[in-house]
Amino acid sequence: MEFYDEMEQSSVNEPTTDKFNEAFSKYNMKVDAEWVKSVVEKARKETVTGHDKETLKRIFSCIDLTTLKPTDNEDTVLAFVEKVNQFEDKYPDLPSVASICTWPLYAATVSRSLEVESVRTCCVSGGFPSSQTFFEVKVAETSLALHDGADEIDIVQNAGKIENGDYESLADETDELKALCADKTLKVILETGALKSLDNVKKAALIAMYSGADFIKTSTGKEVPGADPESFCVMCKTIREYADETGRKVGIKAAGGISTPQEALLYWTIAKIVLGKEWLDNKSFRIGASKLANNLLSEITGQETKFF
């Protein structure tokens, strides 16, 4: 990976943090909080002035439809997949969601029963939701999910390693898990609610991208506060700067507590402002959601809908 190619040029006796700081030196690592605030305010104003149904449909097509409940089982996951299978017949004028996201245990259940070609099988992995487990366990869990048919893997960056400056092992883990995924999509969850500052959000985003992440994602929505517009804005800005520096396009995913069309539109609009329209499709933009799908459907169809 390019991160490590750059590091090899440094002295072997140089402290690890210095090697990473050399890479960080290509970027302004101090986040302009006032700029972030202005972008979020601009996006809020745009979403208040109205939206069209075509935009809501596009957002719907970017949903990673998620079931990550402790009560999930083979039957409930099969029923969940069947809803997605039935969706095209029920709503022929609407796009399908981007993926079904569930536990690694159900990768085979989803991949074998899913009939909609455009919908991917996505699994959380790597000690989700805290990342606090042995790396060997993360490798095994990810390998098994991929073997059972996962097209996309969502892992969690260990926020504690950002806290204590252990960037190298953090990057090593992501790099190795991306190598396992090969041409499959790897999304890296920064768990922004645990990072304590916007500067740390930028740092975590850069480490993830230089280590091979295909997407960076805000949150698990489990143990700490979920997505917030300010952190999401910083992530978008960092993606834009990284793309300009490296030529590589990385996707963005908002997740954790996003349930209303208005909230989804806010994140969509921030991405539009900061990244541009070329990021506004499900190859580069995702929203992780369990409740959002029905709420978007209700808004699009004009009647209360509880399809999923």
Side-chain angles (χ1 to χ4, degrees):
M1 288 292 175
E2 55 193 294
F3 216 4
Y4 301 103
D5 293 340
E6 292 170 4
M7 290 178 187
E8 288 299 323
Q9 298 171 11
S10 303
S11 166
V12 293
N13 295 319
E14 191 177 13
T16 298
T17 51
D18 287 349
K19 294 177 181 178
F20 280 81
N21 287 335
E22 183 180 344
F24 294 154
S25 69
K26 297 179 179 181
Y27 304 88
N28 182 355
M29 298 304 294
K30 184 64 180 175
V31 172
D32 185 343
E34 287 303 312
W35 177 84
V36 172
K37 181 180 177 181
S38 70
V39 171
V40 173
E41 287 179 353
K42 180 180 179 181
R44 288 191 191 280
K45 288 177 182 177
E46 284 194 25
T47 58
V48 167
T49 57
H51 54 270
D52 59 86
K53 289 187 178 181
E54 289 306 311
T55 299
L56 296 180
K57 290 177 184 179
R58 291 176 68 191
I59 293 173
F60 186 87
S61 74
C62 296
I63 288 176
D64 286 342
L65 192 65
T66 303
T67 180
L68 293 170
K69 299 190 291 290
T71 54
D72 284 334
N73 57 57
E74 189 82 12
D75 292 339
T76 63
V77 172
L78 275 171
F80 197 70
V81 175
E82 189 54 31
K83 285 290 186 180
V84 176
N85 289 339
Q86 295 169 355
F87 184 81
E88 283 188 317
D89 290 334
K90 177 72 173 177
Y91 298 98
D93 297 329
L94 298 182
S96 293
V97 295
S99 79
I100 294 174
C101 181
T102 189
W103 305 106
L105 182 62
Y106 302 112
T109 302
V110 175
S111 63
R112 292 172 186 171
S113 56
L114 187 56
E115 298 170 1
V116 187
E117 188 175 345
S118 64
V119 180
R120 306 290 85 192
T121 299
C122 175
C123 290
V124 297
S125 184
F128 182 95
S130 69
S131 191
Q132 299 287 357
T133 189
F134 299 103
F135 182 60
E136 293 82 358
V137 173
K138 297 179 183 183
V139 168
E141 189 176 48
T142 303
S143 298
L144 288 166
L146 292 165
H147 178 269
D148 283 351
D151 303 300
E152 302 180 352
I153 296 290
D154 287 20
I155 64 168
V156 188
Q157 213 179 47
N158 188 325
K161 293 186 177 184
I162 296 290
E163 178 83 8
N164 73 356
D166 187 6
Y167 308 146
E168 185 168 26
S169 66
L170 187 64
D172 282 346
E173 284 195 0
T174 303
D175 185 75
E176 290 190 41
L177 292 173
K178 176 55 189 172
L180 275 178
C181 290
D183 61 344
K184 305 296 185 183
T185 298
L186 178 68
K187 308 193 201 89
V188 176
I189 305 166
L190 307 187
E191 199 65 298
T192 55
L195 292 179
K196 299 183 180 180
S197 74
L198 295 179
D199 291 350
N200 279 346
V201 171
K202 183 164 191 173
K203 191 178 294 182
L206 283 170
I207 291 169
M209 291 189 289
Y210 271 106
S211 305
D214 298 302
F215 275 74
I216 54 173
K217 173 181 171 181
T218 56
S219 320
T220 63
K222 294 293 184 182
E223 297 185 353
V224 295
D228 68 273
E230 291 77 17
S231 294
F232 182 79
C233 181
V234 171
M235 291 166 65
C236 288
K237 181 70 158 56
T238 308
I239 287 172
R240 178 79 267 177
E241 292 174 358
Y242 175 82
D244 291 343
E245 174 67 31
T246 67
R248 192 167 81 91
K249 183 179 180 183
V250 174
I252 183 78
K253 179 175 174 179
I258 303 169
S259 61
T260 69
Q262 195 70 21
E263 290 168 334
L265 279 161
L266 176 60
Y267 289 94
W268 176 269
T269 305
I270 292 171
K272 182 181 70 174
I273 292 169
V274 180
L275 288 168
K277 292 181 180 179
E278 63 267 35
W279 258 264
L280 300 181
D281 59 44
N282 63 20
K283 294 181 177 62
S284 301
F285 180 92
R286 296 287 181 86
I287 292 186
S290 54
K291 298 178 181 177
L292 176 62
N294 281 333
N295 291 334
L296 271 177
L297 272 179
S298 298
E299 189 76 13
I300 292 167
T301 61
Q303 56 186 14
E304 187 176 358
T305 303
K306 293 184 179 179
F307 183 82
F308 293 106

